[in-house]
Amino acid sequence: MIGSFIKIVACILGIVGFTYILPVSVALVYHETQVVWSFSVPMIASLVFAAASLLIWRNQKIRFNTKTSFVIVAVAWLAVNLFGAIPLYVSGAIPALVDAVFESFSGFTTTGGTIVTDVEALPRSINLWRCQTHWLGGMGIVALTVALLPLLGVGGFQLIKAETTGPEKGKLTPKIATTAKVLWFMYISLTVLQTILLRVAGMDFVDALSHAFATLGTGGFSTRNSSVGTYDSLAIDIIVTVFMFLGGINFSMYYYAFTGKGSEIKENSELRNYLAIVFISVLAITLLELKNYGGFFNSLRYSSFQTISIMTTTGFSTDDYLNWTSASQVIIFLLFFIGGCSGSTAGGVKVIRWVILAKQFHNEIQKMLHPQGIFTIRINKRAGRKDVVFNVAAFLFIYVIMIAALTLFACIFKLDILSSFTGALSMVGNVGPAFGKLGPSCNYAFLPAAVKWAYCFAMLAGRLEFFTIVIFLSPSFWKK
């Protein structure tokens, strides 16, 4: 069992290490020689570790159950986040260890909150890596491993279940490895398309690729201090807005569209509600900010960008929503609680959970009116299971507890209540920006080290949707 465990984690680190080849290439092109070794050494070390593990335990079949899958996913994600901090710290780009770790956690969990005060002063290869962490973590490092290495076999489904977002997990195809390949193919295709469009719109190739990584991963790291707003380009704003919106949709929908299963898309309850929330929120803020932007279409441009950025937990900005009217800020604040769709790269509670709770609330009202009646929730026009409601209730319970604890912890270190609460909400929901001292024009650099470490834990727990981390840390889990 130990051999299987080490082999899986080593393979995951090896695959992530292999992706260092992209920032190494950029470092060589831009003559950032001091950065090359910061990536090359850990890349070679991870590949050697993976190869040695495969060789030593080549005859040992990988066997694990649901219990051990939680351990593997938790340890793998922790290892990858720490591994991703190595080039940031060793290169000197981020000299403080806690800051380098925070940046890596924020990247892989697709949170996008940064401690870097001058992003444009960083080497281009480092900026590319920051955005690349979003892309790798968005779809899932375990899902990538399952797609590339068939050695996990049927057990790969247990690992992906522990990593994937949403209350229900399923397969698009009979084999989980095939499902992972399909999802990554869709992901890569959208990334390539957005990179080309951003390049045509005026970005250079590295910036276009970096922003495509951060957009489809719904992360929000940028290569510019003022984020996407730096470019002041209508074309770029539209492209990023559209792809942030696409990143917030369950990637299964793209598979259904590709295979001609239009009925699956049409009947999807979560997608319909996602579209409705985005439409209503964008329209409301557009009308509320007409005076601020001097016209409908200009207001629509900035309102739609910022609304979708928060809804999908991307965190890009073209303007500071703290300068908006109070009513618009309330809408943005409410979107912090919603998030994107399950099975997307977006964070947050997820639309489907709110749909389930709303339907269950309706059922409870009906039971009060008709005590003898039998009612059930219907998701995607199919009867839902009662255990899904219990799962959602448990998720929201730990979600609220985590936010409350994190808010209190930050307040102990003298952070004001607004910044503490919305910062906790942002970290747990993997959003990025918050309110107060952590607004879209600010960063997390000034926070005490203890708060940054706590935020790292919250980001990881939020990305894995709590259950994996809570189970991993539970004393009863380790009892035989």
Side-chain angles (χ1 to χ4, degrees), residues 102 402 406 409-410 427 448-459:
F102 180 95
M402 182 73 74
L406 207 58
F409 188 78
M427 293 295 99
V451 175
K452 291 175 182 175
W453 286 117
Y455 278 180
C456 286
F457 173 78
M459 287 187 284

Side-chain angles (χ1 to χ4, degrees), residues 310 321-322 326 328-334 336 416 418-423 425-426 432-440 442 444:
I310 296 299
Y321 54 72
L322 297 185
S326 297
S328 295
Q329 290 186 45
V330 168
I331 295 173
I332 290 294
F333 177 73
L334 293 175
F336 272 68
D416 65 275
L418 176 63
S419 301
S420 296
F421 175 66
T422 57
L425 189 60
S426 181
F435 284 77
K437 295 179 181 179
L438 300 174
C442 309
Y444 292 77

Side-chain angles (χ1 to χ4, degrees), residues 56-76:
I56 293 171
W57 290 286
R58 61 183 180 277
N59 295 323
Q60 182 172 334
K61 292 184 178 180
I62 294 179
R63 300 179 186 277
F64 52 86
N65 51 32
T66 302
K67 182 177 180 178
T68 52
S69 68
F70 287 113
V71 178
I72 292 171
V73 171
V75 171

Side-chain angles (χ1 to χ4, degrees), residues 228-242 244 282 285-287 289-290 293 295-309 317-319 324:
V228 180
T230 299
Y231 299 95
D232 193 25
S233 165
L234 175 61
I236 289 175
D237 285 0
I238 291 174
I239 292 167
V240 174
T241 300
V242 169
M244 284 192 297
V282 168
I285 295 179
T286 298
L287 296 176
E289 299 303 318
L290 282 175
Y293 291 111
F296 179 81
F297 288 104
N298 203 38
S299 181
L300 177 63
R301 170 186 173 182
Y302 291 98
S303 299
S304 60
F305 186 100
Q306 208 58 58
T307 300
I308 293 174
S309 178
S317 64
T318 52
D319 200 358
W324 288 356

